[in-house]
Amino acid sequence: MRNTTTRRSRREFEFSPPPEHSQDELRARRRKSLPNVYRASFSLSGEVAALCDPLAHRISSGDSSTAQRMTPAVRELGAAVGSVVAGIAKLIAQRDAAARTRGLPVEQRGGAQHALVTLAGRPADPELTTTDVASGQWVGVLVEHARTYDERLSDLLGRAHPPSASALRGRPSISERVEDLVRELDGAASELSKRIDSGESLTAASARTLTSTRSDAEQRDARALLDGLGIAT
């Protein structure tokens, strides 16, 4: 007699959808290289805010020169956000191009789709000033830039096949392609965090040096005063 219970449980496991994680959980799993599925609930602007807000707070908490030192690195992060948004825009353009050319003969679709994606263009990158960096407003600039594609990205993810779906025929899913793009943000945010760490270490070292220099000068003045009074030190 066949063990139908075991076969049924295996079949149910194979076709059961993966658990749905919160955006914070997705981020934590991504950093541990664990598999993820990005669904319609994922917000690109929310991800930008979550990655950038803590960094902006650290920069704004620094001295007046911190913003100037960190501006180039913040602009690099801004460029990464621009790159990710452009990648999302391309995924959406590819989906739309496929829908518009569905009625064409197969041999004509590829060229037509490429032309449509080309004409869709690339969104302009966000621009950040030193004033934006000093005030922390640079986060809002980047969040708003990402927000322009939130709704369309949600629709794209909501309609897409999950990773490893048979319909994909071995091609990467939209979820996986979105995660690859978001990893660019992780890398840029991590680099900015390291630069802030380096700046904080440099500031602390400078403060210790200044304190030591002042202490040495005060001791020399004290010895000179006592020597003038004939008091041995």
Side-chain angles (χ1 to χ4, degrees):
M1 181 177 178
R2 294 180 179 179
N3 189 343
T4 57
T5 302
T6 301
R7 291 181 60 191
R8 183 168 57 253
S9 62
R10 286 177 179 172
R11 188 180 300 113
E12 289 172 354
F13 175 78
E14 289 171 0
F15 290 94
S16 61
E20 186 164 356
H21 299 287
S22 69
Q23 193 148 329
D24 288 342
E25 291 170 336
L26 287 173
R27 188 178 313 112
R29 291 174 61 83
R30 186 174 69 242
R31 289 170 174 170
K32 295 177 181 178
S33 298
L34 295 174
N36 278 325
V37 178
Y38 292 75
R39 295 178 168 87
S41 58
F42 177 75
S43 165
L44 181 61
S45 63
E47 194 66 18
V48 170
L51 291 171
C52 295
D53 272 333
L55 299 173
H57 177 72
R58 291 176 63 190
I59 293 173
S60 298
S61 298
D63 58 31
S64 57
S65 65
T66 301
Q68 290 184 333
R69 293 199 311 270
M70 292 299 116
T71 294
V74 171
R75 284 176 175 158
E76 289 178 14
L77 178 53
V81 172
S83 176
V84 172
V85 169
I88 297 298
K90 185 175 182 179
L91 291 178
I92 294 169
Q94 289 172 336
R95 188 273 307 269
D96 294 345
R100 292 181 63 183
T101 58
R102 193 169 289 124
L104 294 178
V106 174
E107 63 273 13
Q108 296 178 358
R109 289 179 193 171
Q113 289 175 12
H114 178 75
L116 287 169
V117 172
T118 299
L119 290 175
R122 173 191 167 108
D125 286 344
E127 296 183 2
L128 300 172
T129 66
T130 302
T131 301
D132 292 331
V133 177
S135 65
Q137 292 180 352
W138 62 274
V139 177
V141 174
L142 298 185
V143 168
E144 287 306 311
H145 185 68
R147 199 188 307 280
T148 57
Y149 285 89
D150 266 353
E151 187 173 340
R152 281 171 285 180
L153 176 59
S154 176
D155 180 68
L156 181 67
L157 289 168
R159 296 173 183 269
H161 294 292
S164 302
S166 58
L168 294 173
R169 299 177 182 177
R171 294 170 297 182
S173 65
I174 293 296
S175 172
E176 291 167 306
R177 294 172 72 180
V178 167
E179 181 166 70
D180 286 343
L181 289 170
V182 175
R183 286 188 187 280
E184 291 185 36
L185 292 183
D186 290 337
S190 176
E191 182 62 28
L192 176 55
S193 180
K194 290 176 183 177
R195 294 193 188 184
I196 296 172
D197 288 341
S198 177
E200 290 173 344
S201 297
L202 180 61
T203 299
S206 298
R208 287 194 296 270
T209 299
L210 180 60
T211 299
S212 177
T213 301
R214 286 176 176 171
S215 177
D216 290 344
E218 289 172 352
Q219 288 183 20
R220 285 196 299 271
D221 291 343
R223 286 194 180 97
L225 174 64
L226 293 175
D227 287 344
L229 296 174
I231 301 175
T233 58

